[in-house]
Amino acid sequence: MNTIARTATTIAAAAGLAGAGLAAGAAVATAAPGPAPTLMSFGNTVWVYGLGGCQGSVKTQILTDPAKKGQATIVVTPQGANSPGCQADLTTSWMVPRQPFTGQQTNRVAVTGSKPTQFTINPGSGYAVIGFATGGQTPVQSYISVP
C-alpha cells in the first residue's frame, strides 16, 4: 500500500470523528492568525528519505488565518540529516469530509539548515485532515479546523 493510499485510509477513519468532535464542542477557528485549532494529531515530525539518498527529518506546523478563508499555511522546519544540503520532496495531502474534497501537492523542502520552507494549501473551510509524507514513508496527520 503506497503512502497516499495509507493517508487516504487514515483520512477516511478520521473523517468519522467530525460528528464526534462537533458534538463534544470541538475547537473552532481563532480570531487571529496562528496555529490551526487541532482536534487530533498523529505527530508532526516527518522522517524523510531525501534526494540523493540523504536521510533526516523535518517538523511540520499548520497555521490558519481567519481573514484567509479556506487556506492553511504549512511551515516545514529542518531537523537535520546525514548529509549537508539534503532536500526532499514533501507530499501534502488533505481531505475535507463535509465537502468531500481532496487535494495533494508536492513541495521541495530543506532537511538541513535553519531556514523553514513555507507554502500555502487551499483545502477549503471546515474540518480537514492534512497529512505529510515523503517517498514511501509513513505519513503524519492532523485533523484541524480551517476557517
Side-chain angles (χ1 to χ4, degrees):
M1 183 181 271
N2 68 30
T3 300
I4 301 306
R6 282 193 305 265
T7 299
T9 301
T10 303
I11 287 172
L17 297 174
L22 289 172
V28 294
T30 59
T38 302
L39 299 158
M40 174 177 56
S41 179
F42 296 107
N44 66 349
T45 299
V46 181
W47 295 99
V48 301
Y49 185 76
L51 305 171
C54 64
Q55 297 176 31
S57 65
V58 295
K59 179 181 174 187
T60 59
Q61 183 180 22
I62 305 167
L63 307 173
T64 57
D65 181 349
K68 297 179 180 177
K69 299 292 184 193
Q71 287 187 0
T73 299
I74 310 301
V75 180
V76 182
T77 305
Q79 299 294 297
N82 65 351
S83 62
C86 181
Q87 293 186 330
D89 290 331
L90 180 72
T91 299
T92 304
S93 54
W94 60 89
M95 183 179 106
V96 179
R98 166 178 76 77
Q99 294 180 354
F101 176 75
T102 61
Q104 178 178 322
Q105 77 183 46
T106 300
N107 295 83
R108 176 115 346 132
V109 299
V111 185
T112 56
S114 59
K115 184 178 180 184
T117 303
Q118 184 171 309
F119 54 92
T120 300
I121 62 172
N122 297 291
S125 295
Y127 293 101
V129 179
I130 300 177
F132 305 97
T134 62
Q137 302 296 323
T138 302
V140 298
Q141 292 139 351
S142 294
Y143 191 53
I144 67 162
S145 175
V146 180

